[in-house]
Amino acid sequence: PYTTLFRSVVKTFLQGSGIEYVQTSVPGLALARILEMMGSFHSCEVFQNEAIRQTLEDMAKGDPRTVHSVKISLIQTLKSYKIYEKPASQAEKGERAAQLLNRAIEARLFKVGLVFQCSRCHRRNWYATTDFTDKYNCKSCFAAEDTPHIHEHEWYLSSDGLFRSGNKLDGNVTVLLALNFFEHILDRDLQYAPSFDYKIGDKPNEMDFGIISTGMFREVETIFGESKSGASLNADERTKLRTFGEKTGSYICFCTLSEDFSEEDKDYFRELYEADVRIILLTKRL
């Protein structure tokens, strides 16, 4: 849960460390809204599947995909899928793909609909099931059309709202997976702050997320995170994160959707460790 009260707790904590909390950032506002739409951190596990992430990216411009083509994409990501340590059959992979797709729809990542061709302008458009009854209005020329017999049409999926984003949901996919990870290891005792702007002196910075919990060591712990979709940290990011960790004494979590961190980043993590900055590293596997 994210509340105004918890934001005040983070603000007060940072002030005690000589850091000025400014405001929730634009990506942070998007993250809070996404979690509100999805309902829980558990629902975010659907982002663990590469095909789900790729399909969302492919649909960033609103182009729909057939349900069949999305299922095929999901099955292709399940090449190493096992059941009780035995390679799954093609039928079992198909069943697992259907489960993943259902979870994505239940989490409101995708909407189900049909593609109709207008008899007036002859243009084809996708319509969600809520966009039509016995009639629908053409999205191109706005003509009122009779809904065709839907049993003759193939079902399509489309992303909607915040999930129709060409910027990986404002960079929040990695953050959502990290928060889901921490909710598990912290025994669901997790209060979070989405991405926020802060200042150390006059220099503005941004932190991707913050966590306060008593679930790790049975005492209050603070974790602040930097998420990367794959690129290495730049010099400014390394400086700001080291300063933040030294001032607050918090864990600094680095999370990435890549298989591993770059060698430059690993050298930087060693420097942090030697300087007694507490760090947590989350790669794609975790």
Side-chain angles (χ1 to χ4, degrees):
Y2 168 56
T3 64
T4 302
L5 176 60
F6 182 61
R7 182 177 62 187
S8 298
V9 171
V10 172
K11 182 176 181 179
T12 302
F13 170 78
L14 293 179
Q15 284 177 338
S17 302
I19 298 173
E20 179 187 354
Y21 179 101
V22 179
Q23 63 185 0
T24 303
S25 68
V26 172
L29 293 172
L31 180 98
R33 180 66 182 126
I34 290 167
L35 279 170
E36 183 182 349
M37 292 170 62
M38 297 184 72
S40 68
F41 294 122
H42 177 69
S43 298
C44 298
E45 287 182 357
V46 71
F47 290 118
Q48 290 174 338
N49 185 270
E50 186 176 352
I52 292 291
R53 299 196 303 270
Q54 185 61 51
T55 301
L56 274 176
E57 188 168 342
D58 292 343
M59 290 183 179
K61 295 181 180 179
D63 299 328
R65 298 286 186 274
T66 65
V67 172
H68 178 71
S69 67
V70 174
K71 282 185 178 178
I72 293 299
S73 296
L74 289 170
I75 290 173
Q76 290 174 344
T77 66
L78 297 173
K79 292 179 181 178
S80 59
Y81 179 56
K82 294 181 180 181
I83 298 178
Y84 300 117
E85 300 304 318
K86 293 183 179 180
S89 66
Q90 199 64 20
E92 290 169 331
K93 291 178 182 177
E95 183 178 349
R96 176 58 177 162
Q99 291 173 349
L100 286 168
L101 185 54
N102 287 338
R103 287 182 62 184
I105 294 171
E106 289 169 0
R108 302 181 184 179
L109 270 64
F110 303 126
K111 280 189 173 182
V112 183
L114 297 164
V115 173
F116 299 146
Q117 182 177 24
C118 176
S119 65
R120 307 282 187 89
C121 67
H122 300 289
R123 294 181 180 176
R124 296 178 182 273
N125 288 292
W126 177 87
Y127 299 87
T129 53
T130 53
D131 291 339
F132 59 87
T133 52
D134 56 335
K135 290 185 177 294
Y136 72 95
N137 290 320
C138 174
K139 291 182 178 180
S140 296
C141 70
F142 310 109
E145 291 281 290
D146 291 328
T147 300
H149 298 297
I150 61 176
H151 67 277
E152 299 175 350
H153 289 70
E154 186 170 17
W155 290 98
Y156 281 75
L157 298 173
S158 180
S159 56
D160 194 31
L162 286 169
F163 298 115
R164 185 174 291 181
S165 168
N167 189 30
K168 298 183 183 296
L169 309 184
D170 284 325
N172 278 317
V173 169
T174 312
V175 176
L176 290 166
L177 289 173
L179 290 173
N180 176 64
F181 173 86
F182 280 115
E183 188 187 42
H184 282 292
I185 68 168
L186 296 175
D187 298 327
R188 301 190 181 277
D189 174 31
L190 182 153
Q191 299 282 342
Y192 86 99
S195 174
F196 58 88
D197 299 321
Y198 70 93
K199 287 183 179 180
I200 297 178
D202 294 328
K203 188 171 183 179
N205 288 298
E206 182 182 349
M207 185 63 67
D208 289 335
F209 65 88
I211 293 171
I212 293 182
S213 174
T214 59
M216 188 180 292
F217 302 116
R218 303 305 174 190
E219 59 185 34
V220 176
E221 290 291 351
T222 53
I223 304 168
F224 291 91
E226 176 78 12
S227 71
K228 306 297 289 184
S229 58
S232 297
L233 296 162
N234 61 43
D236 287 342
E237 288 172 328
R238 291 173 182 171
T239 300
K240 77 160 188 180
L241 292 165
R242 177 168 182 164
T243 301
F244 194 99
E246 290 173 340
K247 279 182 167 291
T248 64
S250 304
Y251 283 94
I252 304 297
C253 173
F254 300 89
C255 46
T256 178
L257 284 177
S258 297
E259 297 289 348
D260 201 357
F261 293 99
S262 69
E263 292 304 316
E264 293 83 358
D265 282 347
K266 290 178 183 178
D267 289 339
Y268 168 65
F269 299 149
R270 293 186 186 98
E271 291 175 10
L272 293 183
Y273 177 78
E274 291 169 358
D276 292 326
V277 175
R278 301 190 297 173
I279 57 175
I280 299 172
L281 307 179
L282 300 181
T283 58
K284 180 179 179 180
R285 182 177 64 84
L286 292 172

